Amino acid sequence: MNLRKVSAVSAAVVALALTATACGSGESEDSGKGGGKTIKVGIKFDQPGIGQKTPQGTFSGFDVDVATYVAKELGYSEKQIDFKETPSADRENALSRGDVEFIAASYSITEEREAKVDFAGPYLLAHQDVLIRADDKIGKAEDLNGKVLCSVAGSTSAQNVKEKFAKGAELKEYGGYSECLEGLQTGAVDALTTDDSILAGYAAQEQYKGKFKLAGLSLSNENYGVGVKKGSDLKDKINKALEKMVEDGSWDKAVEANFGPADYKNDPAPKIGDVVK
């Protein structure tokens, strides 16, 4: 009789344990697919206007606005988004390791990258351009001949200009974009080059407003996409979110909020799947 009671109690305990395990497993599976606890999203932390972490610990920039909108469409509130810094050199690895669910970090779609990850979008068509002082005139790339062009260590943008458009340009290498901006302000350099969206973000900073302008040269096409792990079903869901962002006007508002102060002449929102070569 006592043995039967003990067995019944044991069975109940096992049933409860199995139920708890099943519930815990469900929460874990949901954590990366909307409605779960958090979603990990890769962004840049050091690009004003694109993706930046402020001293107060908040995040701002066009890519941040895109990522936030997409995450909400996937079922996550703003508080459930866990932004992770993903430097350019580590973006593919971050996705393959599962460190992040998706990446919005001035991530240009290229054939080489598409072999490693999938892309939703594009959600922005940027172009390589040059940033100059507000009172200077650079109407075409050839005008950079004889000018001092700022080259950031590790970047190929300035070298591309010198090799393809202005062989007579002088390259001066600095450690980062902020140093280039200081050099541009003091006259140590005449121009800074990278994607126009990134340049616009820097020029829109409070301390630089009205001091610099983009030349509008459009030296290349850079199709920014949202990177996801190869084969992920998030690609189609993110594409739908991006389409909705454009349709309801949120895309235009994000462009104006992040690039407007630099008088950035952006292209219209690209059509999903339409990668401009």
Side-chain angles (χ1 to χ4, degrees):
M1 187 69 178
N2 289 338
L3 182 59
R4 288 196 190 97
K5 287 183 179 179
V6 171
S7 298
V9 171
S10 299
V13 170
V14 170
L16 285 171
L18 289 172
T19 301
T21 302
C23 290
S25 174
E27 288 176 4
S28 175
E29 289 175 1
D30 286 343
S31 64
K33 297 183 179 179
K37 292 182 179 180
T38 60
I39 183 168
K40 296 177 181 179
V41 180
I43 61 169
K44 294 288 183 66
F45 276 20
D46 59 353
Q47 286 185 344
I50 298 290
Q52 184 178 33
K53 184 176 183 179
T54 69
Q56 294 75 33
T58 59
F59 301 93
S60 64
F62 182 72
D63 282 351
V64 174
D65 290 344
V66 169
T68 300
Y69 190 100
V70 167
K72 286 182 177 179
E73 288 300 305
L74 293 177
Y76 296 88
S77 69
E78 197 166 340
K79 292 182 179 179
Q80 290 175 302
I81 303 171
D82 183 9
F83 285 119
K84 299 290 186 181
E85 184 174 20
T86 48
S88 297
D90 195 45
R91 287 179 296 204
E92 288 83 22
N93 290 333
L95 287 170
S96 65
R97 290 193 304 261
D99 295 346
V100 293
E101 294 291 330
F102 68 84
I103 293 175
S106 55
Y107 203 0
S108 297
I109 301 172
T110 66
E111 291 183 1
E112 181 182 359
R113 289 169 180 167
E114 284 184 303
K116 301 175 183 177
V117 302
D118 285 339
F119 284 100
Y123 63 88
L124 182 72
L125 177 59
H127 309 278
Q128 186 181 347
D129 199 356
V130 296
L131 191 70
I132 57 178
R133 288 178 287 274
D135 56 354
D136 285 350
K137 292 182 180 180
I138 298 289
K140 54 186 184 299
E142 290 80 4
D143 294 339
L144 292 168
N145 283 307
K147 302 289 187 181
V148 180
L149 189 60
C150 188
S151 175
V152 174
S155 171
T156 59
S157 297
Q159 190 64 43
N160 288 340
V161 171
K162 182 175 176 64
E163 291 177 356
K164 298 177 182 179
F165 303 103
K167 296 185 183 297
E170 178 187 345
L171 300 186
K172 180 174 286 190
E173 187 174 276
Y174 282 54
Y177 289 115
S178 296
E179 294 174 52
C180 282
L181 286 166
E182 291 177 12
L184 189 57
Q185 191 169 1
T186 62
V189 299
D190 298 305
L192 161 63
T193 184
T194 187
D195 295 357
D196 54 6
S197 57
I198 296 174
L199 294 174
Y202 278 106
Q205 289 183 284
E206 190 64 37
Q207 67 268 36
Y208 298 130
K209 284 182 181 178
K211 296 180 179 179
F212 306 128
K213 66 181 180 182
L214 285 92
L217 301 185
S218 295
L219 302 176
S220 70
N221 294 319
E222 306 295 335
N223 300 267
Y224 288 4
V226 177
V228 297
K229 190 173 184 178
K230 200 73 176 173
S232 172
D233 62 356
L234 281 180
K235 177 180 176 178
D236 291 339
K237 296 176 182 178
I238 293 174
N239 277 335
K240 289 179 181 178
L242 294 174
E243 288 175 344
K244 183 177 179 181
M245 186 177 186
V246 174
E247 290 170 1
D248 67 16
S250 298
W251 189 90
D252 288 321
K253 290 179 181 177
V255 168
E256 178 60 29
N258 293 290
F259 304 131
D263 196 26
Y264 176 49
K265 303 297 190 297
N266 63 283
D267 283 54
K271 182 180 178 181
I272 297 300
D274 187 9
V275 176
V276 180
K277 300 298 184 181

